[in-house]
């Protein structure tokens, strides 16, 4: 089963862009997960277990490296076309 998720990261850090860019770079290291980022959020799509495992791993790594951060996530079962622009 596929999973599509939307993630927004809100670091408790004055220099908030560095942790966000770091997190997105880490997401890109997963070859079987598709990623699209816009000004508001990052969308990912892939196998359900791959996406959930990646999120658990990378959110934990972000908290360990950068300290406090809020992650807001929305999930929809299935594969969405992340290139859709309408």
């Amino acid at each position: 089963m596929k999973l599509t998720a939307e993630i927004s990261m809100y670091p408790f850090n004055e220099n908030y862009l560095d942790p966000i860019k770091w997190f997105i770079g880490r997401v890109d290291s997963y070859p079987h997960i598709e990623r699209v980022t816009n000004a508001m959020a990052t969308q990912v799509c892939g196998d359900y277990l791959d996406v959930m495992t990646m999120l658990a791993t990378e959110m934990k790594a972000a908290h360990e490296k950068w300290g406090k951060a809020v992650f807001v996530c929305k999930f929809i079962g299935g594969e969405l076309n992340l290139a859709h622009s309408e």
Side-chain angles (χ1 to χ4, degrees):
M1 178 178 180
K2 295 287 186 175
L3 177 68
T4 303
E6 180 177 272
I7 311 135
S8 297
M9 179 184 185
Y10 301 96
F12 287 21
N13 188 319
E14 285 185 34
N15 186 15
Y16 62 90
L17 287 178
D18 286 344
I20 293 169
K21 289 178 182 179
W22 177 88
F23 183 80
I24 292 168
R26 301 267 300 201
V27 170
D28 281 342
S29 72
Y30 292 80
H32 300 295
I33 295 176
E34 180 183 359
R35 178 201 53 91
V36 173
T37 297
N38 60 42
M40 296 288 295
T42 295
Q43 292 86 32
V44 295
C45 186
D47 180 75
Y48 197 102
L49 188 55
D50 290 345
V51 171
M52 294 302 283
T53 300
M54 178 274 296
L55 288 174
T57 300
E58 299 309 332
M59 287 190 301
K60 180 178 186 271
H63 286 131
E64 290 173 344
K65 179 171 179 68
W66 301 101
K68 292 181 181 177
V70 173
F71 287 90
V72 177
C73 300
K74 295 187 274 185
F75 301 96
I76 185 166
E79 184 173 11
L80 295 182
N81 177 1
L82 297 182
H84 182 74
S85 62
E86 195 175 290

